[in-house]
Amino acid sequence: DAKTTQPTSMDCAEGRAANLPCNHSTISGNEYVYWYRQIHSQGPQYIIHGLKNNETNEMASLIITEDRKSSTLILPHATLRDTAVYYCIVRVELDTDKLIFGTGTRLQVFP
Amino acid sequence: DGGITQSPKYLFRKEGQNVTLSCEQNLNHDAMYWYRQDPGQGLRLIYYSQIVNDFQKGDIAEGYSVSREKKESFPLTVTSAQKNPTAFYLCASSITTDYGEQYFGPGTRLTVT
């Protein structure tokens, strides 16, 4: 079973920031938070991951709460091409355990 | 261009036939994975391989088989024993299984009638 809880769907206007929440209240101290997205009928794409500090890359920012029980993925200027299913995953690094993909959040970016 | 290729994009088979899905990567990754995705669902792990000539069952290995004779290749055979083979199949790779950053192929949509 997935260790995360995400809203089923969200909408965002093009050009605005998309903030996708994820709850992981049972996260362990050595588990990282990963975000992937899947555009319709394509393979998932890695976005970002973090342990406890906020992270930023060219695609997105990841904000993790101090207690690490939740996080938010931020797409600063959403475009139509960001319409996808976004998966939040927790995983122990340096562990052979698999990635567990739940059902994710379906983000619809509208013009 | 480095990446993962899966072929074909769409595959149709008759019930009772075995079918092999191709997955090739030129990323020099040690680890490779096969996932299955059903409509509206997340991904489920079928098999994974940490290194050449080694592979382990995932959550739903029954009715599937794999081989890893070369680092670049990890073919998946869907056998006639798989009760519900129609699905979207995704192959992925990572530097090793230690790392959670996996690179996915475009997928193969298999339809069995």
Coordinates of all heavy atoms in Angstrom, one line a residue, chain A residues 34 36 38 41-46 49 87 91-99 101-103, chain B residues 9 35 37 40-43 45 48 50 59 88 90 97-102 104-106 109:
Chain A
Y34 N 9.8 11.5 -2.9 CA 10.0 11.6 -4.3 C 8.8 12.1 -5.0 O 7.6 11.7 -4.6 CB 10.4 10.2 -4.9 CG 11.8 9.8 -4.7 CD1 12.3 9.3 -3.5 CD2 12.7 10.0 -5.8 CE1 13.6 8.9 -3.4 CE2 14.1 9.6 -5.6 CZ 14.5 9.1 -4.4 OH 15.8 8.7 -4.3
Y36 N 7.1 12.2 -9.0 CA 7.2 11.8 -10.4 C 5.9 12.4 -11.0 O 4.9 12.6 -10.3 CB 7.2 10.3 -10.6 CG 8.5 9.6 -10.4 CD1 9.0 9.4 -9.2 CD2 9.2 9.2 -11.5 CE1 10.3 8.8 -9.0 CE2 10.4 8.5 -11.4 CZ 10.9 8.4 -10.1 OH 12.2 7.7 -10.0
Q38 N 3.3 11.7 -14.7 CA 3.0 10.9 -15.9 C 2.0 11.6 -16.7 O 0.9 11.8 -16.4 CB 2.5 9.5 -15.4 CG 2.3 8.6 -16.6 CD 1.9 7.2 -16.1 OE1 1.3 7.0 -15.1 NE2 2.1 6.2 -17.0
S41 N -0.6 8.4 -21.2 CA 0.0 7.3 -22.1 C 1.5 7.4 -22.3 O 2.0 6.9 -23.3 CB -0.7 7.3 -23.5 OG -2.1 7.0 -23.3
Q42 N 2.2 8.0 -21.4 CA 3.7 8.0 -21.4 C 4.2 7.4 -20.1 O 3.5 7.2 -19.2 CB 4.2 9.4 -21.6 CG 3.8 10.1 -22.9 CD 4.4 11.5 -23.0 OE1 5.4 11.8 -22.4 NE2 3.8 12.3 -23.8
G43 N 5.5 7.1 -20.1 CA 6.1 6.7 -18.9 C 6.3 7.8 -17.9 O 6.4 8.9 -18.3
P44 N 6.3 7.5 -16.6 CA 6.5 8.5 -15.6 C 7.9 9.2 -15.8 O 8.8 8.6 -16.3 CB 6.5 7.7 -14.3 CG 5.7 6.5 -14.6 CD 6.0 6.2 -16.0
Q45 N 7.9 10.4 -15.3 CA 9.1 11.2 -15.3 C 9.5 11.7 -13.9 O 8.7 12.2 -13.2 CB 8.9 12.4 -16.2 CG 10.0 13.4 -16.4 CD 9.6 14.7 -17.1 OE1 8.5 15.1 -17.1 NE2 10.6 15.4 -17.6
Y46 N 10.7 11.5 -13.6 CA 11.2 11.9 -12.3 C 11.2 13.5 -12.2 O 11.6 14.1 -13.2 CB 12.6 11.4 -12.0 CG 13.4 12.1 -10.9 CD1 13.2 11.7 -9.6 CD2 14.3 13.2 -11.2 CE1 13.9 12.4 -8.6 CE2 15.0 13.8 -10.2 CZ 14.8 13.4 -8.9 OH 15.5 14.1 -7.9
H49 N 13.4 15.1 -5.5 CA 13.2 14.4 -4.3 C 14.0 15.2 -3.2 O 14.8 16.0 -3.5 CB 13.7 13.0 -4.4 CG 15.2 12.8 -4.4 ND1 15.9 13.0 -5.6 CD2 16.0 12.3 -3.5 CE1 17.2 12.7 -5.3 NE2 17.3 12.3 -4.1
Y87 N 2.7 11.9 -8.9 CA 2.8 10.9 -7.8 C 3.8 11.4 -6.8 O 4.9 11.8 -7.1 CB 3.3 9.6 -8.4 CG 2.4 9.0 -9.4 CD1 2.7 9.1 -10.8 CD2 1.4 8.2 -9.0 CE1 1.9 8.5 -11.7 CE2 0.5 7.6 -10.0 CZ 0.8 7.7 -11.3 OH 0.0 7.1 -12.3
R91 N 10.4 6.8 0.1 CA 11.3 5.7 -0.1 C 12.6 5.8 0.7 O 13.1 6.9 0.8 CB 11.6 5.6 -1.6 CG 12.6 4.4 -2.0 CD 12.9 4.5 -3.4 NE 13.7 3.4 -3.9 CZ 15.0 3.3 -3.7 NH1 15.7 4.3 -3.2 NH2 15.6 2.2 -4.2
V92 N 13.1 4.7 1.2 CA 14.4 4.7 1.9 C 15.5 4.7 0.9 O 15.5 3.9 0.0 CB 14.5 3.5 2.8 CG1 15.9 3.5 3.5 CG2 13.4 3.5 3.9
E93 N 16.3 5.7 0.9 CA 17.5 5.7 0.0 C 18.4 4.6 0.4 O 18.5 4.1 1.5 CB 18.2 7.1 0.1 CG 19.1 7.3 -1.1 CD 18.3 7.7 -2.3 OE1 17.2 7.1 -2.6 OE2 18.8 8.5 -3.1
L94 N 19.2 4.2 -0.6 CA 20.2 3.1 -0.4 C 19.5 1.9 0.1 O 20.0 1.1 0.9 CB 21.3 3.5 0.5 CG 22.1 4.8 0.1 CD1 23.2 5.1 1.1 CD2 22.7 4.6 -1.3
D95 N 18.4 1.6 -0.5 CA 17.6 0.5 -0.1 C 17.1 -0.1 -1.4 O 16.8 0.6 -2.4 CB 16.4 0.9 0.8 CG 15.7 -0.3 1.4 OD1 15.9 -1.5 1.0 OD2 14.8 -0.1 2.3
T96 N 17.0 -1.5 -1.4 CA 16.6 -2.1 -2.7 C 15.1 -2.1 -2.8 O 14.5 -2.7 -3.7 CB 17.1 -3.5 -2.8 OG1 16.7 -4.2 -1.7 CG2 18.6 -3.5 -2.9
D97 N 14.4 -1.5 -1.9 CA 12.9 -1.5 -2.0 C 12.4 -0.8 -3.2 O 13.1 0.1 -3.7 CB 12.3 -0.9 -0.7 CG 10.9 -1.4 -0.5 OD1 10.4 -2.2 -1.3 OD2 10.3 -0.9 0.5
K98 N 11.3 -1.1 -3.7 CA 10.7 -0.6 -4.9 C 10.1 0.8 -4.6 O 9.8 1.2 -3.5 CB 9.6 -1.5 -5.4 CG 8.6 -1.8 -4.4 CD 7.6 -2.8 -4.8 CE 6.6 -3.2 -3.8 NZ 7.3 -3.9 -2.6
L99 N 9.9 1.5 -5.7 CA 9.0 2.7 -5.7 C 7.6 2.2 -5.6 O 7.2 1.4 -6.4 CB 9.2 3.6 -6.9 CG 10.6 4.3 -7.0 CD1 10.7 5.0 -8.4 CD2 10.8 5.3 -5.9
F101 N 4.0 3.4 -6.4 CA 3.2 4.5 -7.0 C 1.7 4.3 -6.6 O 1.1 3.2 -6.9 CB 3.3 4.4 -8.5 CG 4.6 4.8 -9.1 CD1 5.7 4.0 -9.1 CD2 4.7 6.1 -9.7 CE1 6.9 4.4 -9.7 CE2 5.9 6.5 -10.3 CZ 7.0 5.7 -10.2
G102 N 1.1 5.3 -6.0 CA -0.3 5.2 -5.7 C -1.1 5.7 -6.9 O -0.6 5.6 -8.0
T103 N -2.2 6.3 -6.7 CA -3.0 6.8 -7.8 C -2.7 8.3 -8.1 O -3.2 8.8 -9.2 CB -4.5 6.6 -7.5 OG1 -4.8 7.2 -6.3 CG2 -4.9 5.2 -7.5
Chain B
K9 N 5.0 0.0 -29.5 CA 4.1 0.9 -28.7 C 2.8 0.2 -28.4 O 2.3 0.3 -27.3 CB 3.9 2.2 -29.4 CG 3.0 3.2 -28.7 CD 3.7 3.8 -27.5 CE 2.9 4.9 -26.9 NZ 3.5 5.4 -25.7
Y35 N 7.1 -2.6 -14.8 CA 5.8 -2.3 -14.0 C 4.7 -2.5 -15.0 O 4.8 -2.5 -16.2 CB 5.8 -0.8 -13.7 CG 6.8 -0.4 -12.6 CD1 8.1 0.0 -13.0 CD2 6.5 -0.3 -11.3 CE1 9.0 0.5 -12.1 CE2 7.4 0.2 -10.3 CZ 8.7 0.5 -10.8 OH 9.6 1.0 -9.8
Q37 N 0.6 -1.1 -15.5 CA -0.4 -0.1 -15.1 C -1.7 -0.4 -15.7 O -1.8 -0.6 -16.9 CB 0.1 1.3 -15.5 CG -0.8 2.4 -15.0 CD -0.2 3.8 -15.3 OE1 0.4 4.0 -16.3 NE2 -0.4 4.7 -14.4
G40 N -6.5 4.0 -14.7 CA -6.9 4.7 -13.5 C -6.1 4.3 -12.3 O -6.4 4.7 -11.2
Q41 N -5.1 3.4 -12.5 CA -4.4 2.9 -11.3 C -2.9 3.4 -11.3 O -2.4 3.9 -12.3 CB -4.4 1.4 -11.4 CG -5.8 0.8 -11.4 CD -6.6 1.1 -10.1 OE1 -6.0 0.9 -9.0 NE2 -7.8 1.5 -10.3
G42 N -2.3 3.2 -10.2 CA -0.8 3.4 -10.1 C -0.1 2.3 -10.8 O -0.6 1.4 -11.4
L43 N 1.2 2.3 -10.6 CA 2.1 1.3 -11.2 C 2.3 0.2 -10.2 O 2.5 0.4 -9.0 CB 3.5 1.9 -11.6 CG 3.6 2.7 -12.9 CD1 2.7 4.0 -12.8 CD2 5.0 3.0 -13.2
L45 N 4.8 -3.3 -9.5 CA 6.1 -3.8 -9.9 C 6.0 -5.3 -10.2 O 5.5 -6.1 -9.4 CB 7.2 -3.7 -8.8 CG 8.6 -4.1 -9.1 CD1 9.2 -3.3 -10.2 CD2 9.4 -4.1 -7.8
Y48 N 12.2 -7.0 -11.1 CA 13.3 -6.1 -11.2 C 14.6 -6.9 -11.2 O 14.7 -8.0 -10.7 CB 13.3 -5.0 -10.1 CG 13.6 -5.5 -8.7 CD1 14.8 -5.4 -8.1 CD2 12.5 -6.0 -7.9 CE1 15.1 -5.8 -6.8 CE2 12.8 -6.5 -6.6 CZ 14.0 -6.3 -6.1 OH 14.2 -6.7 -4.8
Q50 N 18.9 -6.3 -10.4 CA 19.9 -5.4 -9.9 C 21.2 -5.4 -10.7 O 21.9 -4.5 -10.7 CB 20.2 -5.8 -8.5 CG 19.1 -5.6 -7.5 CD 19.4 -6.1 -6.1 OE1 19.2 -7.2 -5.7 NE2 20.0 -5.2 -5.3
D59 N 5.7 -7.5 -6.9 CA 4.5 -7.8 -6.3 C 3.5 -8.7 -7.1 O 2.7 -9.4 -6.5 CB 3.7 -6.5 -6.0 CG 4.5 -5.6 -5.0 OD1 5.1 -6.2 -4.1 OD2 4.5 -4.4 -5.2
F88 N -1.0 -1.7 -19.7 CA 0.1 -0.8 -20.1 C 1.4 -1.2 -19.4 O 1.4 -1.2 -18.1 CB -0.3 0.7 -19.8 CG 0.7 1.7 -20.4 CD1 1.1 1.6 -21.7 CD2 1.0 2.8 -19.7 CE1 2.0 2.6 -22.3 CE2 1.9 3.8 -20.2 CZ 2.3 3.7 -21.5
L90 N 5.4 -0.8 -18.5 CA 6.4 0.2 -18.4 C 7.7 -0.4 -17.9 O 7.8 -1.1 -16.9 CB 6.0 1.3 -17.5 CG 4.9 2.2 -18.0 CD1 4.1 2.9 -16.9 CD2 5.5 3.3 -19.0
T97 N 19.7 -0.2 -7.8 CA 18.4 -0.2 -7.1 C 18.5 0.6 -5.8 O 17.5 0.9 -5.2 CB 18.0 -1.6 -6.7 OG1 19.1 -2.3 -6.0 CG2 17.6 -2.4 -7.9
D98 N 19.7 1.1 -5.4 CA 19.8 2.0 -4.2 C 19.1 3.3 -4.5 O 18.7 4.0 -3.5 CB 21.3 2.2 -3.9 CG 22.0 1.0 -3.4 OD1 21.3 0.0 -3.2 OD2 23.2 1.0 -3.4
Y99 N 19.1 3.7 -5.7 CA 18.6 5.1 -6.0 C 17.2 5.1 -6.5 O 16.8 4.3 -7.3 CB 19.5 5.7 -7.0 CG 20.9 5.9 -6.5 CD1 21.9 5.0 -6.6 CD2 21.2 7.1 -5.8 CE1 23.1 5.2 -6.1 CE2 22.4 7.3 -5.2 CZ 23.4 6.3 -5.4 OH 24.6 6.5 -4.8
G100 N 16.4 6.1 -6.0 CA 15.0 6.2 -6.3 C 14.7 6.9 -7.6 O 13.6 7.0 -8.0
E101 N 15.7 7.5 -8.3 CA 15.5 8.2 -9.5 C 15.5 7.2 -10.6 O 16.6 6.7 -11.0 CB 16.6 9.2 -9.7 CG 16.3 10.1 -10.9 CD 17.4 11.2 -11.0 OE1 18.0 11.5 -10.1 OE2 17.5 11.8 -12.1
Q102 N 14.4 6.8 -11.1 CA 14.2 5.9 -12.2 C 13.8 6.6 -13.5 O 13.1 7.5 -13.5 CB 13.2 4.8 -11.8 CG 13.6 3.9 -10.6 CD 12.6 2.8 -10.3 OE1 11.6 2.6 -11.1 NE2 12.8 2.2 -9.2
F104 N 12.1 6.1 -17.1 CA 11.1 5.2 -17.7 C 11.1 5.2 -19.2 O 11.4 6.3 -19.8 CB 9.7 5.6 -17.2 CG 9.4 5.1 -15.8 CD1 9.8 5.8 -14.7 CD2 8.7 4.0 -15.6 CE1 9.6 5.4 -13.4 CE2 8.4 3.5 -14.3 CZ 8.9 4.2 -13.2
G105 N 10.7 4.1 -19.8 CA 10.5 4.1 -21.2 C 9.1 4.6 -21.6 O 8.3 4.9 -20.7
P106 N 8.7 4.6 -22.9 CA 7.4 5.1 -23.3 C 6.3 4.2 -23.1 O 5.1 4.6 -23.2 CB 7.6 5.4 -24.8 CG 8.7 4.5 -25.2 CD 9.6 4.3 -24.0
R109 N 1.5 -0.9 -24.8 CA 0.1 -1.2 -24.5 C -0.2 -2.5 -25.1 O -0.3 -2.6 -26.3 CB -0.8 -0.1 -25.0 CG -2.2 -0.2 -24.4 CD -3.0 1.1 -24.7 NE -2.5 2.2 -24.0 CZ -2.6 2.5 -22.7 NH1 -3.3 1.8 -22.0 NH2 -2.1 3.7 -22.2

